Amino acid sequence: MALAFDEFGRPFIILREQEKKSRLRGLDAQKSNIASAKAVARILRTSLGPKGMDKMLQSPDGDVTITNDGATILEQMDVDNQIAKLMVELSRSQDYEIGDGTTGVVVMAGALLEQAEKLLERGIHPIRVAEGYEMASRIAFDHLERISTKFEFSADNIEPLVRTCMTTLSSKIVNRCKRALAEIAVKAVLAVADLERKDVNLDLIKVEGKVGGKLEDTELIYGIVVDKDMSHPQMPKRIEDAKIAILTCPFEPPKPKTKHKVDIDTVEKFQTLREQEQKYFDEMVQKCKDVGATLVICQWGFDDEANHLLMHRNLPAVRWVGGVELELIAIATGGRIVPRFQELSPEKLGKAGLVREKSFGTTKDRMLYIEKCANSRAVTIFIRGDSFNETIRCGTGNKMMIEETKRSLHDALCVARNLIRNNSIVYGGGSAEIACSIAVETAADRHPGVEQYAIRSFADALDAVPLALSENSGLSPIDTLTAVKAQQVKDNNPHCGIDCNDVGTNDMKEQNVFETLIGKQQQILLATQVVKMILKIDDVISPSEY
């Protein structure tokens, strides 16, 4: 595509192979874009809230994923349309920044575009609509700040954090164990949090899963769990006060750099070669023993000869440990990763109070627990998973359950992290959106001009989230929403929301349904920005299908 100028200096576009391109411009382009975005939002709308539906996605190689996490659904959907890809990016940025609210942000963007379409049909210019939305988003943003409440928590009083995480987990498949999982998530975050700097490094929390057992068996380990076992069955299964050598060099003789060929034609030559190899192994094992190591964790494998020697020299070893796990072990034990045997020294060893191998049930599954570490700031959440119901006894149900539990726990960990960064909360159940909708509607009167139509439309779009919540809970959407809205206006109580769980009260404060303030603000800002971007596109040039 190139830009050219006519004799009056006006630019015009020259398209290569113009007849092969399909082109939409003006209102048609905007309507087409809005339709694509609405289609994506409609898919996610049904999985919003505690009674939301799950989606089953099958990858090209046949793997099945069952989830109601918005970011995961959009990641794994094979999206072809350019505007739909923007919606995928939208949920990804919400997931990256906040970790929770990935479904809500897409539903919100879809509702804003639906309202914008009506305004465009009335002949209002898209730029004016975008400007009105920008004003309305600022009003909603500031109103959220006003209705938010701060709560104090400490390492001793974690109840407020747990309740907020329970709200996140209540819309997931694991909601029957939400209390236990929320406590695990909060304890894990507090274990790695720097409360003075109000910062949390989630990379220090490792989430590991193992099929079998019950979801209730999920535990938090103050240390690292590695999905490996001792390299020799006769090595000790429990080591106390372990000094760990963390190696990225293999237990094997060095290979010559040049191409080589060794001719062995007599038994003596073979014997000499074997003795030489054994000497290498001997020296390597002796170096580890000399610096005082009582456990060797190696990134590479070692052959049976080295394994046999390690067992005889009473030096337990673990082989084929991945690079990420090695780093976590080094952080937790305070050790250094050693790339060459010559560099081993006592101060580079990691220290752990207890290293034990644990086997699970009647299966051959064994895992290594490294606990009571010198630096206990690295923790592991170890998930056990049961099947969806008693009739499904196959491994696939288990595997899916564990994967979904990992995704759910990630959301809960992010919520706890956000609360440590900023301990302001708003109430959930759509109450925050309804309160913002009322505030934006009231503020629209103060804006003369075309923008006020857009501001009113923004207020209507905010109602989409509570509408979807009531619809997914099997309630009558419009009746429920109008009743709650009227109650909020009458009592001047911004905590009234949709009673999704049929508890009998609309007051979300009584139901303990919280959401983080920064999560909700981010949702409104991100959705508005993407909608503005989509409204400003008035020309779509794409290669037509062959």
Side-chain angles (χ1 to χ4, degrees):
M1 195 168 80
L3 199 65
F5 297 88
D6 62 11
E7 64 271 29
F8 301 110
R10 292 177 303 207
F12 61 93
I13 294 172
I14 302 168
L15 286 177
R16 194 165 49 245
E17 300 172 334
Q18 180 137 4
E19 74 284 354
K20 290 187 182 174
K21 298 265 193 271
S22 64
R23 188 168 179 188
L24 284 169
R25 42 174 93 186
L27 197 57
D28 287 342
Q30 279 144 354
K31 282 191 173 175
S32 157
N33 293 343
I34 289 171
S36 313
K38 273 163 58 182
V40 175
R42 209 172 295 127
I43 293 167
L44 289 195
R45 189 184 163 92
T46 53
S47 41
L48 191 69
K51 296 282 194 286
M53 299 294 187
D54 293 343
K55 304 280 179 262
M56 182 188 262
L57 301 139
Q58 186 173 10
S59 68
D61 51 0
D63 287 344
V64 173
T65 306
I66 297 174
T67 180
N68 72 354
D69 179 55
T72 310
I73 294 168
L74 291 179
E75 284 279 310
Q76 302 205 4
M77 262 168 54
D78 196 6
V79 177
D80 203 24
N81 184 280
Q82 314 85 327
I83 299 296
K85 281 178 182 166
L86 277 179
M87 301 298 264
V88 176
E89 283 298 320
L90 168 67
S91 84
R92 192 181 292 157
S93 53
Q94 174 79 13
D95 194 36
Y96 180 76
E97 196 63 38
I98 302 295
D100 186 31
T102 47
T103 312
V105 73
V106 176
V107 172
M108 177 82 200
L112 284 169
L113 285 168
E114 202 168 322
Q115 294 296 330
E117 192 173 19
K118 295 174 188 169
L119 296 176
L120 294 178
E121 280 171 354
R122 287 188 200 165
I124 297 175
H125 195 279
I127 292 296
R128 304 302 293 272
V129 176
E131 282 170 1
Y133 275 3
E134 181 66 33
M135 288 175 190
S137 73
R138 298 307 316 172
I139 296 163
F141 186 92
D142 296 338
H143 187 68
L144 281 171
E145 195 83 56
R146 281 196 296 279
I147 63 169
S148 68
T149 51
K150 283 200 182 296
F151 64 69
E152 298 308 319
F153 63 87
S154 61
D156 309 321
N157 175 27
I158 60 169
E159 188 60 28
L161 285 172
V162 172
R163 283 181 179 171
T164 318
C165 289
M166 278 166 66
T167 305
T168 301
L169 292 172
S170 61
S171 64
K172 310 289 182 196
I173 234 171
V174 295
N175 61 356
R176 65 187 177 83
C177 296
K178 63 182 178 186
R179 173 92 212 180
L181 290 175
E183 281 180 7
I184 285 172
V186 169
K187 284 175 184 167
V189 167
L190 285 174
V192 303
D194 185 339
L195 290 175
E196 282 176 21
R197 284 176 51 224
K198 292 194 169 185
D199 191 34
V200 180
N201 182 2
L202 287 184
D203 292 339
L204 294 174
I205 301 174
K206 184 179 180 221
V207 183
E208 188 72 60
K210 198 81 172 161
V211 169
K214 300 197 295 290
L215 198 55
E216 286 84 349
D217 298 338
T218 299
E219 56 182 334
L220 173 67
I221 293 129
Y222 289 96
I224 302 294
V225 175
V226 188
D227 194 2
K228 299 282 175 223
D229 52 0
M230 296 295 183
S231 60
H232 197 289
Q234 290 174 356
M235 285 178 179
K237 304 282 183 277
R238 184 184 177 92
I239 305 160
E240 293 187 5
D241 294 325
K243 291 189 173 135
I244 305 169
I246 305 165
L247 304 175
T248 54
C249 43
F251 275 95
E252 56 183 36
K255 291 183 174 62
K257 296 278 183 291
T258 54
K259 284 189 176 178
H260 61 287
K261 182 169 170 246
V262 180
D263 285 326
I264 298 174
D265 45 15
T266 64
V267 176
E268 287 77 18
K269 282 183 184 174
F270 179 75
Q271 209 59 37
T272 313
L273 185 72
R274 192 173 168 283
E275 279 167 16
Q276 187 63 38
E277 275 196 0
Q278 199 158 3
K279 186 164 165 260
Y280 272 123
F281 286 146
D282 257 337
E283 282 175 11
M284 288 170 180
V285 175
Q286 198 52 49
K287 276 199 182 87
C288 295
K289 295 285 279 185
D290 288 346
V291 294
T294 56
L295 171 68
V296 173
I297 293 179
C298 187
Q299 188 174 12
W300 305 107
F302 30 83
D303 57 19
D304 293 342
E305 177 98 27
N307 206 1
H308 177 76
L309 203 68
L310 285 162
M311 196 270 292
H312 270 282
R313 292 288 190 86
N314 289 329
L315 187 58
V318 185
R319 55 185 163 185
W320 296 119
V321 178
V324 177
E325 289 171 330
L326 270 187
E327 284 179 19
L328 277 171
I329 292 168
I331 291 168
T333 59
R336 299 286 294 276
I337 296 173
V338 180
R340 292 165 65 222
F341 283 98
Q342 289 80 2
E343 291 177 23
L344 257 176
S345 62
E347 61 273 8
K348 288 186 180 176
L349 299 181
K351 294 179 181 60
L354 176 64
V355 177
R356 61 192 170 101
E357 189 180 287
K358 186 177 177 183
S359 53
F360 298 97
T362 53
T363 60
K364 294 276 193 306
D365 284 341
R366 292 192 292 274
M367 293 184 92
L368 204 66
Y369 284 49
I370 302 169
E371 297 173 289
K372 299 178 187 168
C373 301
N375 171 16
S376 62
R377 289 202 50 202
V379 297
T380 305
I381 297 174
F382 184 49
I383 299 167
R384 304 307 309 277
D386 58 359
S387 44
F388 292 110
N389 54 41
E390 291 305 312
T391 56
I392 301 176
R393 283 292 178 196
C394 60
T396 51
N398 278 338
K399 193 81 188 128
M400 283 175 215
M401 189 71 179
I402 282 175
E403 290 306 314
E404 180 63 358
T405 308
K406 280 186 184 178
R407 284 189 285 270
S408 306
L409 266 173
H410 171 260
D411 283 11
L413 290 169
C414 288
V415 164
R417 177 195 64 183
N418 293 340
L419 283 170
I420 285 172
R421 286 181 178 171
N422 178 354
N423 64 346
S424 298
I425 52 159
V426 290
Y427 289 90
S431 63
E433 281 87 353
I434 295 170
C436 286
S437 171
I438 295 166
V440 171
E441 185 79 51
T442 312
D445 298 334
R446 296 198 298 272
H447 291 272
V450 180
E451 281 84 0
Q452 73 164 283
Y453 288 105
I455 294 172
R456 286 187 204 287
S457 295
F458 193 96
D460 292 341
L462 280 165
D463 291 340
V465 171
L467 269 174
L469 283 174
S470 49
E471 201 174 308
N472 295 344
S473 306
L475 306 167
S476 165
I478 295 169
D479 294 351
T480 313
L481 177 64
T482 44
V484 172
K485 214 166 188 179
Q487 194 179 339
Q488 272 211 24
V489 174
K490 183 177 155 216
D491 302 346
N492 195 19
N493 176 10
H495 307 152
C496 293
I498 308 293
D499 180 16
C500 298
N501 293 323
D502 216 8
V503 178
T505 171
N506 280 338
D507 195 328
M508 293 296 132
K509 200 169 186 177
E510 285 177 38
Q511 284 201 30
N512 285 326
V513 178
F514 309 135
E515 292 188 60
T516 55
L517 170 68
I518 50 175
K520 193 55 79 184
Q521 286 179 330
Q522 193 75 13
Q523 264 187 18
I524 287 175
L525 289 184
L526 279 175
T528 311
Q529 292 307 322
V530 165
V531 168
K532 279 178 65 183
M533 191 191 298
I534 292 171
L535 287 176
K536 284 183 176 179
I537 298 168
D538 76 330
D539 203 340
V540 180
I541 303 161
S542 50
S544 56
E545 298 298 320
Y546 291 111

